[in-house]
Structure formats: structure tokens, C-alpha cells
Amino acid sequence: MGIQKFPITEEQIDTLVAEFYARVRRDPDIGPVFLRAIGTDGEIWRHHEAKIASFWRNAMGIDRSFSGNPMLKHLANNDILPEQFPIWLGIFEQAAHDVLPESTALSIVALANRIGESLQFGLVQFRKPQDGPPSLTPAV
Ligand code: HEM
């Protein structure tokens, strides 16, 4: 599949994803968002974590098994607010530093921050027409 963005194994991605969501589920601010969207069923959570691991393998250039549309999924869930992104990214950063080698953690955190910025920007932009000033261009 060509050259990866930086060295990380599939196992490291799985470990990070499991650790990250274990912490997210306990978080008082964003835990409830995931509880409402995904619930408490272990099987459903394993499915979500497997999808997220494939998202990261795709982002890393390891494989192309991910099919989804993160921007639309986050936009469609009105529970997800732009101001929650720093919380999500903070938990991700701590989990990454706790389970990955330092240089790998720094690289994947930088990537998560860029993706998070664009998702956050998307939420702000696309949700604006509902309660913001009128736009002269049609909403997409
Ligand atoms: C405020 C921060 C965030 C919250 C509360 C949040 C919450 C969620 C929830 C509840 C879902 C499940 C949606 C569903 O299947 O119905 C989801 C899906 C997903 N999230 Fe997030 N998320 C956040 C930020 C991020 C960031 C920064 C990334 C990536 C760096 C990310 C990556 C994904 C991906 C890949 C999916 C699967 C999308 C799909 O099925 O197409 N999320 N998120």
C-alpha cells in the first residue's frame, strides 16, 4: 500500500483506540454523547472501535478498508458540539502518550489535531445557516 505517513503498527492502533474509548466512556463531558449514540452494548462498541481502527489505518495509508463519512456523521449528531473537540483531542493525546512510543504518539496526535480542526470547522460552518445570519450562497 505504498509508504506509511509514519511508523505505527495495526496492533498499536488497536491498543490506542481501545484505551482512548475506555477513557472517553468515563469522561463526564463527552462520555454521555457516546452513551447516547452508541450505548453500552459491548458488541456494538467493538464494532465501533473496529470501524475507528480502520479509519486510522486508512488515514495512515496502511489499508483502504474504511468506508464512512465522518463529516456527515458528526454533522448529523446534534449532540456533538464544536467546543467538545478540545476535550476529545485532550483525551486522545493523553491516551496516545500513555500507550505509544513518544515519537509515534506525537505524530498521531498531530494528525488527530488536523482532522479534529477540519471536523470542528465543518460543524461551525454547516450548522451556521440554521441559527446564524442568512447566507447569500446556498447551503451544501
Ligand atoms: C467533539 C468531539 C467528537 C465527538 C463528541 C465524537 C463523537 C462521535 C460519535 C458519537 C460517533 C458515532 C456516530 C454514529 O455512528 O452514529 C462518531 C463517529 C466517528 N468519529 Fe467522532 N467524535 C468527535 C471527534 C472526532 C475526531 C476528532 C475524529 C478523528 C480524528 C473522529 C472520528 C470519528 C470517525 C472516523 C467516526 C465514524 C464515522 C463514520 O461512521 O463514517 N471523531 N464520533
Side-chain angles (χ1 to χ4, degrees):
M1 239 321 303
I3 306 175
Q4 264 177 241
K5 287 197 177 135
F6 53 85
I8 187 169
T9 66
E10 295 193 30
E11 291 72 22
Q12 285 174 324
I13 291 174
D14 289 346
T15 303
L16 171 60
V17 167
E19 181 62 30
F20 170 68
Y21 282 110
R23 295 181 190 198
V24 159
R25 283 190 290 265
R26 292 195 296 266
D27 184 82
D29 294 304
I30 63 171
V33 177
F34 285 87
L35 183 68
R36 287 190 286 272
I38 299 175
T40 54
D41 183 82
E43 192 60 37
I44 297 175
W45 266 101
R46 275 191 289 282
H47 181 261
H48 177 72
E49 291 182 8
K51 184 200 271 186
I52 299 300
S54 79
F55 164 80
W56 283 113
R57 292 197 305 276
N58 180 72
M60 290 302 311
I62 296 175
D63 68 44
R64 286 280 173 264
S65 64
F66 177 71
S67 73
N69 190 326
M71 186 65 88
L72 282 183
K73 283 276 176 167
H74 293 93
L75 266 175
N77 184 337
N78 285 310
D79 251 7
I80 303 176
L81 307 174
E83 53 268 31
Q84 293 164 345
F85 278 83
I87 301 168
W88 191 107
L89 291 164
I91 299 171
F92 190 87
E93 180 170 9
Q94 285 181 357
H97 282 283
D98 287 346
V99 303
L100 299 176
E102 184 65 11
S103 65
T104 313
L106 288 170
S107 300
I108 198 162
V109 165
L111 182 56
N113 281 324
R114 288 200 296 279
I115 298 169
E117 256 176 43
S118 107
L119 288 174
Q120 184 177 350
F121 181 81
L123 291 195
V124 171
Q125 289 308 306
F126 291 125
R127 284 187 186 156
K128 217 196 279 188
Q130 288 157 17
D131 45 22
S135 167
L136 298 177
T137 50
V140 271

